[in-house]
Amino acid sequence: MTKKTKIILNGCMGKLGTAISSLKYTNCTIVFGVDIAQVATNKDFPIYSTLTECTATADVVIDCSSAAGLQNLLKFGIDKNIPLVICTTALTAEDNSAIKAAAQQIAILQSANMSLGINLLLNIVNKSAKLLYNSQFDIEIIEKHHNQKKDSPSGTALSLANAINSSLKNNLDYVTDRTKKQASRSKAEIGIHSIRGGTIAGEHSVIFAGNNETIEFKHQAITREVFATGALKAAQFITKQPAGLYSMQNVIEDTFVF
């Protein structure tokens, strides 16, 4: 019998946490959840208000809480020598530096979007950008999310912009509000546009607009199940890795043969 991966679900009452705990899975089990709300009555695992309240053993922490709890999460991972899957967005440069430092001691997988499809899209736009940009294509990103999402642009939109920019020697600037400057579009920019409304789970489009032709790559999440499934794949992947910082690109490479 295959051993089940034992998961601590941090932020279990949030949108992603709820999606993960609602999945029907056979090779994973949630040993306990953590959430400051701590009011769930329909979960089949105990819920605590802090990570340190439960002593149950686990193989990995999936974190889908908030940036405010990052330092406690990293300390818990190091103290318990347990791998982390960090799904939290809106992290600062200081937060990312702290994650890199912690990854010298434990295995950490960090991703702003756990969807396998989005992470395949990151590969595609990275490989497409240099050719199309040098062929005089302008690059724009449009992201759409539900009306409760607080950060803007989304972490995924920024990841897409970073994937594009990295193939262009990071020479492009990100423009998120053109109302501040009444001028023609600069060639050396990536426009990023955010839409908030309704219950949109997540849509991201990357548009390469050239002379008399347009190429558009688009990913649409129908439900949050795609992110939940990816998070579980990430959890199973990271438990097999030595200390270091990983991303969903590593899971893509481990899952698919190119």
Side-chain angles (χ1 to χ4, degrees):
M1 179 181 292
T2 304
K3 178 186 175 183
K4 287 188 176 184
T5 302
K6 296 179 180 179
I7 297 169
I8 298 170
L9 186 56
N10 192 35
C12 63
M13 296 300 297
K15 288 181 172 63
L16 179 55
T18 299
I20 292 172
S21 62
S22 298
L23 281 181
K24 298 187 182 301
Y25 37 79
T26 58
N27 49 6
C28 300
T29 183
I30 300 173
V31 292
F32 71 94
V34 178
D35 202 288
I36 55 174
Q38 199 184 352
V39 294
T41 58
N42 59 343
K43 305 294 184 185
D44 57 1
F45 52 83
I47 300 176
Y48 300 88
S49 59
T50 65
L51 280 165
T52 55
E53 287 183 52
C54 184
T55 57
T57 59
D59 301 309
V60 62
V61 178
I62 298 180
D63 175 62
C64 36
S65 56
S66 69
L70 179 67
Q71 294 302 325
N72 288 335
L73 172 71
L74 296 177
K75 183 178 186 304
F76 179 83
I78 292 171
D79 289 348
K80 299 293 185 180
N81 192 31
I82 183 171
L84 307 175
V85 174
I86 300 178
C87 313
T88 302
T89 59
L91 298 175
T92 65
E94 291 77 11
D95 290 334
N96 288 318
S97 294
I99 291 171
K100 289 179 182 179
Q104 296 179 18
Q105 301 181 62
I106 57 174
I108 299 177
L109 189 147
Q110 180 187 9
S111 179
N113 190 307
M114 307 308 294
S115 160
L116 293 176
I118 277 289
N119 284 279
L120 189 58
L121 180 59
L122 288 169
N123 269 329
I124 292 170
V125 298
N126 175 268
K127 290 178 171 59
S128 302
K130 187 173 183 180
L131 173 62
L132 293 175
Y133 181 80
N134 289 336
S135 299
Q136 303 306 308
F137 281 74
D138 296 322
I139 307 169
E140 299 280 305
I141 297 171
I142 301 173
E143 57 100 346
K144 305 176 185 179
H145 285 89
H146 53 87
N147 57 23
Q148 298 302 300
K149 186 171 178 61
K150 296 178 181 178
D151 55 314
S152 174
S154 70
T156 300
L158 291 173
S159 293
L160 288 164
N162 291 341
I164 293 166
N165 213 6
S166 66
S167 72
L168 300 171
K169 300 180 180 179
N170 293 310
N171 286 328
L172 305 190
D173 296 321
Y174 301 166
V175 177
T176 57
D177 184 1
R178 290 205 175 95
T179 65
K180 295 179 179 179
K181 182 180 179 182
Q182 301 299 309
S184 300
R185 186 191 193 282
S186 166
K187 175 65 178 173
E189 70 179 54
I190 300 174
I192 307 177
H193 314 275
S194 300
I195 295 172
R196 297 290 176 266
T199 59
I200 301 171
E203 294 182 24
H204 292 84
S205 298
V206 179
I207 300 169
F208 293 91
N211 294 324
N212 303 311
E213 61 179 333
T214 300
I215 300 170
E216 181 174 353
F217 298 105
K218 180 178 179 179
H219 177 272
Q220 181 177 6
I222 307 302
T223 71
R224 290 186 180 82
E225 185 174 321
V226 296
F227 310 125
T229 300
L232 291 180
K233 286 185 178 294
Q236 292 175 294
F237 168 84
I238 201 66
T239 59
K240 305 171 187 175
Q241 310 308 318
L245 185 58
Y246 302 84
S247 73
M248 284 299 289
Q249 294 302 313
N250 299 113
V251 180
I252 290 284
E253 294 166 4
D254 188 64
T255 303
F256 299 105
V257 178
F258 292 98

